[in-house]
Amino acid sequence: MIGDFLVGLNKPCFGGQYDHDLGNNQFSKWQPYLPNNLDNVRSFFSEVHDIDLVRIWLFEGMEGLIFDDNNELVSIERTFLESLKKILDLAAQSNIRVYLCLFDAWAAKHRPATLNAMGLIIHGTRFINNTLTKLCEFLSDHAATIFAIDLMNEPEGLIEYNITTWNELESALNKWCNYLHNNHDFKCSIGWMRRKNAAKYSYLDVDFCDFHIYNESGEIPYYDRNDFGKKLCIIGECGYPVVDDSPRQLALRRDYGVWIAKKMMIEACNKSYYGILPWPIDGPQMDEANRQLNSTVVQLARQLKTGANYFNNPSPSTI
């Protein structure tokens, strides 16, 4: 499926500003990053303008959401929507579609104060009524730029932090899928941390499956449509694994991060996946490594579009 293969990148938080890049956050109290740093967004899209997709996080750490005194959802705040509009406009100018991820399940780890609010979102009805409806109405003006909506980054995190149960999680995610399909034309997915969960829950009302993979070999298992309910499958995140920020681990990510991402992209294309989106190389002083990563992804995307046989016959000299 080389002709239909999608090449993308993850840009979860602009400026690395987790939970406050686009809008205000009632929990962390940080000021929004994007309104005063729009040039960084413009520069990013200019740098990667030949790729197909960029995956962007929205409400990570409850960013951009308005809550009442009981941590119940009320609405989406204005600054967040203004920032999102600027991102979508710049993406459209670069002919890039965006893969919008609503929540990060690991916010319970990074922002413990949000734990109760996330539980209420999963177990209640206000998210659809007060937030998802408003978001979709806003996104309808940018429909051509929206690739799909990833309902949650690695939902396994909610189980690990005892925010919900598998049955409750399954029910909530499927209700969100149903809402999107019954009321809007947006495609949706769930970005599972593990392949086995993407396969297990492929029967949910998702349009395609998504799982994340990190390893030191760059190897990816073959796609088998029977494993995923005969649905396509995208690899929404990939790269060299993060163990810690020790000097040795930082050096390994800096030296091998681009190589691993490149190999994974070639493997994903050759093994019949729908697409793949490498994750940025994490850690301090990784600007140059990430410039190399972005350049590599763009180069492979261009070669794919021109019909080069690079993806068909990878060899050690091309990796």
Side-chain angles (χ1 to χ4, degrees), residues 41-310:
V41 182
R42 187 177 291 109
S43 174
F44 169 75
F45 280 112
S46 175
E47 183 180 348
V48 302
H49 65 88
D50 280 333
I51 66 174
D52 300 302
L53 308 173
V54 172
R55 180 170 174 258
I56 298 170
W57 289 6
L58 296 185
F59 304 128
E60 81 278 0
M62 305 300 129
E63 171 183 0
L65 299 175
I66 299 172
F67 297 86
D68 64 18
D69 292 339
N70 297 314
N71 281 338
E72 290 277 14
L73 264 176
V74 176
S75 188
I76 308 176
E77 61 104 11
R78 181 172 56 93
T79 302
F80 177 91
L81 291 177
E82 291 173 350
S83 297
L84 182 55
K85 181 182 186 304
K86 292 172 183 175
I87 289 173
L88 295 173
D89 288 343
L90 288 169
Q93 291 172 22
S94 298
N95 295 314
I96 293 174
R97 288 185 292 168
V98 294
Y99 186 20
L100 298 174
C101 180
L102 300 185
F103 292 104
D104 173 29
W106 299 107
K109 173 183 178 182
H110 305 304
R111 301 291 188 268
T114 68
L115 191 150
N116 184 49
M118 188 72 246
L120 291 171
I121 288 171
I122 290 292
H123 301 128
T125 60
R126 288 198 181 190
F127 174 62
I128 290 177
N129 297 335
N130 296 355
T131 303
L132 195 55
T133 298
K134 184 171 183 178
L135 177 66
C136 288
E137 290 172 352
F138 170 83
L139 293 178
S140 65
D141 292 333
H142 305 270
T145 307
I146 309 301
F147 167 67
I149 295 175
D150 176 356
L151 301 181
M152 187 171 295
N153 177 63
E154 302 187 350
E156 293 94 335
L158 297 187
I159 304 299
E160 183 166 326
Y161 282 86
N162 300 311
I163 295 173
T164 189
T165 66
W166 282 109
N167 288 340
E168 291 168 340
L169 177 62
E170 171 190 350
S171 175
L173 294 174
N174 214 40
K175 285 178 183 177
W176 300 355
C177 288
N178 293 158
Y179 170 79
L180 290 171
H181 290 146
N182 293 337
N183 298 277
H184 303 278
D185 292 328
F186 299 120
K187 293 181 179 179
C188 66
S189 67
I190 301 166
W192 296 98
M193 178 170 64
R194 298 184 178 91
R195 181 188 183 278
K196 68 176 184 180
N197 290 329
K200 180 179 180 180
Y201 293 102
S202 60
Y203 67 88
L204 297 180
D205 193 22
V206 293
D207 293 280
F208 57 92
C209 299
D210 180 335
F211 71 91
H212 304 163
I213 185 166
Y214 293 87
N215 61 47
E216 298 178 6
S217 68
E219 295 178 358
I220 288 174
Y222 277 93
Y223 164 77
D224 185 333
R225 64 195 300 266
N226 294 318
D227 291 340
F228 298 97
K230 297 184 172 26
K231 295 178 180 179
L232 297 173
C233 185
I234 201 167
I235 297 176
E237 291 182 18
C238 73
Y240 194 91
V242 174
V243 176
D244 55 42
D245 280 352
S246 65
R248 181 176 184 276
Q249 287 296 322
L250 288 173
L252 287 170
R253 295 205 295 277
R254 187 177 297 111
D255 293 343
Y256 294 103
V258 175
W259 184 88
I260 289 296
K262 190 173 183 180
K263 183 177 179 183
M264 286 179 165
M265 292 172 66
I266 295 169
E267 288 238 344
C269 185
N270 288 337
K271 293 181 176 180
S272 302
Y273 285 90
Y274 184 24
I276 190 167
L277 296 86
W279 184 262
I281 301 171
D282 284 327
Q285 300 180 337
M286 292 294 184
D287 289 351
E288 178 57 31
N290 279 304
R291 277 192 289 269
Q292 293 177 18
L293 174 66
N294 292 351
S295 174
T296 297
V297 174
V298 168
Q299 180 185 21
L300 294 185
R302 288 174 179 165
Q303 290 174 329
L304 187 61
K305 290 174 182 177
T306 58
N309 64 359
Y310 187 97

